[in-house]
Amino acid sequence: MFVQQVEPVGGSLGLSALVAALPLVTVLVLLGAVRMKAHLAGPTGLAVAVLVAWLAYDMPLGQTLSSGAQGVLFGLFPIMWIVVNALWVYRMTVRTRHFDILRRSFGRLSDDPRIQALVIAFCFGALLEALAGFGAPVAICSVMLVALGFDPVKAAVVALVANTAPVAFGAMGTPVVTLAQVTGLPLDSVASVVGRQTPLLALVVPLVLVGLVDGRRGLRETWVPALACGSAFAVAQFVASNYVSAQLADIGAALVGAGALVAVPHSRRPAAEPVRAAVLTGVRSEDLDGKDERSEVLRAYAPYALIVVIFSVAQIPAVKDWLVQANRGFDWPFLNVASPDGEPVGGNVFTLPLVSTGGTLVLLAGLLTAVVLGVHARVALREWFATVHELRFAILTVTSVLALAYVMNLSGQAATIGHSVAAAGAGLAFLSPVLGWFGVAVSGSDTSANALFGALQVTAAQQSGLSPELLAAANSSGGVLGKMISPQNLTIACAAVGLAGREGDLLRKVLPWSLGLLLVMCLIVYAQSTVVLSWMLP
């Protein structure tokens, strides 16, 4: 049995923390300073984590490699299993041109560019984040806005800022699922607290978007639909994450938010020509004027409806119990780890959710989507393998980062850093979202940031007497605000709208919003750690 040590380097917590931080520092420096590709920085950081665990923490090399292998498996299944199948569904809608029908349907909802920004960037972007994430919402929504006549820079900025509130529950809840796994906290508990933080962002972001599109006039004339959309989104995200399913939180919020937006009379009023002339400085795509049969429009919406129905059925108690019973748990080979107090750690046993995982449910929805859209089985299979090929670098990045996280957690490196960070005391609650924000800013992924810092946040919370669930959730909630400034997302946005090389211009425009909203989240989390807002926590 390997027993974790908190102060393995010279019996000093400070020195041990510096050594333990080397894998994280390596990844962050390679990404931020050297600008190495994430799929190369991840494996490099993993190699450093293995060396630190083996040489500094005296973890047997076999157990060190075994813990990394467990992280790789978790990265593949269920994490990337969800992402691959969700993106596969989207690719089939593009291949059959039903995504174009969906785009035209959105364009006909309103001719007001401020409302179009809310429908496409905020609501539909949230739906795309729920299904795929990993940059897809920014790329797709910015292209759709340009097609409607938006200036490319404005379209990219709007898409980047909109991609905040839904991120924590994106890719069918992947970030919070990862957070629960690496921290050992119940998924329902973590999702519940995140669902009491990010909805507050949803109240603000739509107002920010109409301001970005049309300045003070946009706020003055469209604050009612913006507030209605944000409020409906926030309520739906809170209810779904706390009482239904974390995997359905964004899907439900996106649909309810869009419904509330369309229901407000302000949304359906024709936009004044000065507004359209001032905002729509680009060229409107001609294919938006085409008309589609009602049956084809229904088929375009069908994939998303199927996902909602399947996940809803999976939450029926009897069905949920059957799915959970289908899971397979087993002792992980070559791994026998105990915490500093001698108690076995959770990593010794691994549960493989073969049926109950979100990825399998999305796969089922994808098979039904192929039938509804008339995609031949051979074509559907080809699209699935094409999706895997498209995501090959993302798969390498996610698996290596999760392997790094597992090595750090099981060797005791995360515990050492957590004990050191706990010295911040009550101020830790204010700073915890910053750690998540920084992690997403450099990695481009809330999932990766949760894998890197989730266990650290929990350890620090336990040492300082704060709620582990609160700080774990703060890592994810703060992280969503780093998404808009991550080099990965900036590059995706620039490439999508033909602004290659102008990432710096976008960064200067979105950085103030990222920092401002981060400050708001820090204040919320700090208040939730005190009597001021502690009543908000479950």
Side-chain angles (χ1 to χ4, degrees):
M1 177 180 287
F2 167 70
V3 180
Q4 297 173 344
Q5 305 174 66
V6 177
E7 302 175 354
V9 182
S12 168
L13 180 60
L15 287 175
S16 299
L18 288 175
V19 173
L22 285 176
L24 297 178
V25 172
T26 299
V27 173
L28 299 181
V29 169
L30 291 178
L31 286 172
V34 181
R35 296 187 177 181
M36 181 182 285
K37 298 290 187 181
H39 66 272
L40 298 176
T44 304
L46 170 59
V48 175
V50 169
L51 290 175
V52 171
W54 180 35
L55 300 177
Y57 280 77
D58 295 327
M59 188 179 196
L61 184 59
Q63 297 212 44
T64 303
L65 296 177
S66 180
S67 61
Q70 187 176 142
V72 170
L73 180 58
F74 181 70
L76 290 173
F77 195 95
I79 301 303
M80 292 310 298
W81 179 241
I82 297 173
V83 178
V84 166
N85 289 319
L87 194 56
W88 173 54
V89 173
Y90 163 70
R91 285 180 62 100
M92 285 193 291
T93 66
V94 172
R95 184 179 182 89
T96 59
R97 298 192 179 279
H98 283 88
F99 182 76
D100 293 334
I101 296 173
L102 194 67
R103 181 159 56 95
R104 287 193 287 270
S105 175
F106 286 154
R108 287 191 289 267
L109 287 175
S110 173
D111 72 342
D112 189 326
R114 299 162 301 190
I115 302 301
Q116 290 173 342
L118 293 177
V119 172
I120 293 173
F122 187 70
C123 296
F124 187 59
L127 187 60
L128 290 174
E129 182 67 36
L131 299 178
F134 290 87
V138 170
I140 295 167
C141 292
S142 57
V143 169
M144 290 176 72
L145 291 174
V146 169
L148 290 171
F150 277 68
D151 171 73
V153 173
K154 184 169 287 186
V157 170
V158 167
L160 285 166
V161 174
N163 191 219
T164 48
V167 168
F169 296 103
M172 308 309 297
T174 297
V176 291
V177 170
T178 303
L179 186 61
Q181 180 72 18
V182 300
T183 60
L185 299 173
L187 173 59
D188 291 344
S189 298
V190 174
S192 178
V193 179
V194 175
R196 295 161 193 251
Q197 294 172 345
T198 55
L200 299 177
L201 291 176
L203 295 173
V204 179
V205 171
L207 296 170
V208 173
L209 294 180
V210 296
L212 285 171
V213 172
D214 196 28
R216 293 183 179 178
R217 178 177 58 186
L219 276 172
R220 184 175 63 253
E221 295 180 1
T222 56
W223 69 269
V224 173
L227 190 60
C229 175
S231 299
F233 186 102
V235 170
Q237 192 181 60
F238 162 74
V239 171
S241 60
N242 277 265
Y243 305 109
V244 184
S245 166
Q247 287 90 343
L248 281 178
D250 278 350
I251 293 178
L255 296 177
V256 172
L261 180 61
V262 174
V264 175
H266 285 67
S267 302
R268 299 191 297 276
R269 293 176 184 170
E273 192 54 39
V275 173
R276 293 181 55 78
V279 176
L280 301 180
T281 55
V283 179
R284 179 183 172 93
S285 176
E286 295 181 359
D287 74 340
L288 291 172
D289 297 323
K291 292 186 178 180
D292 302 299
E293 295 181 8
R294 185 182 181 87
S295 60
E296 291 302 304
V297 174
L298 292 175
R299 291 174 74 192
Y301 282 92
Y304 310 104
L306 285 169
I307 290 175
V308 172
V309 170
I310 289 173
F311 271 83
S312 298
V313 170
Q315 295 307 309
I316 297 173
V319 178
K320 188 174 183 179
D321 290 343
W322 179 81
L323 291 174
V324 171
Q325 289 173 3
N327 293 341
R328 292 291 179 265
F330 56 90
D331 292 332
W332 188 259
F334 309 111
L335 196 64
N336 188 11
V337 181
S339 63
D341 58 8
E343 295 295 323
V345 300
N348 295 330
V349 177
F350 187 82
T351 300
L352 194 63
L354 292 172
V355 181
S356 63
T357 183
T360 302
L361 298 179
V362 176
L363 176 64
L364 175 59
L367 295 173
L368 295 176
T369 294
V371 174
V372 172
L373 300 185
V375 181
H376 191 278
R378 187 185 306 107
V379 175
L381 188 62
R382 189 184 306 128
E383 285 296 324
W384 191 90
F385 282 107
T387 303
V388 174
H389 183 265
E390 180 183 339
L391 290 172
R392 63 192 184 281
F393 294 127
I395 292 172
L396 180 56
T397 300
V398 170
T399 53
S400 62
V401 167
L402 279 162
L404 180 154
Y406 270 63
V407 170
M408 290 188 66
N409 293 343
L410 291 172
S411 67
Q413 295 173 59
T416 297
I417 299 174
H419 280 73
S420 178
V421 172
L428 180 61
F430 180 85
L431 296 174
S432 59
V434 179
L435 194 59
W437 173 85
F438 185 68
V440 175
V442 296
S443 71
S445 166
D446 200 36
T447 298
S448 296
N450 286 343
L452 287 172
F453 300 128
L456 185 156
Q457 296 266 24
V458 168
T459 302
Q462 292 169 340
Q463 294 299 313
S464 58
L466 295 170
S467 164
E469 290 82 3
L470 174 63
L471 294 202
N475 193 82
S476 192
S477 298
V480 307
L481 299 169
K483 190 88 168 179
M484 68 179 82
I485 65 168
S486 70
Q488 173 182 309
N489 255 22
L490 291 171
T491 302
I492 289 172
C494 284
V497 298
L499 297 174
R502 295 185 59 184
E503 288 86 356
D505 294 341
L506 291 187
L507 178 61
R508 284 190 290 274
K509 290 181 178 296
V510 299
L511 182 59
W513 294 109
S514 179
L515 293 174
L517 292 171
L518 174 63
L519 176 60
V520 172
M521 182 54 66
C522 289
L523 292 172
I524 290 171
V525 173
Y526 178 73
Q528 288 179 332
S529 72
T530 68
V531 294
V532 178
L533 290 182
S534 59
W535 52 269
M536 290 183 63
L537 301 180

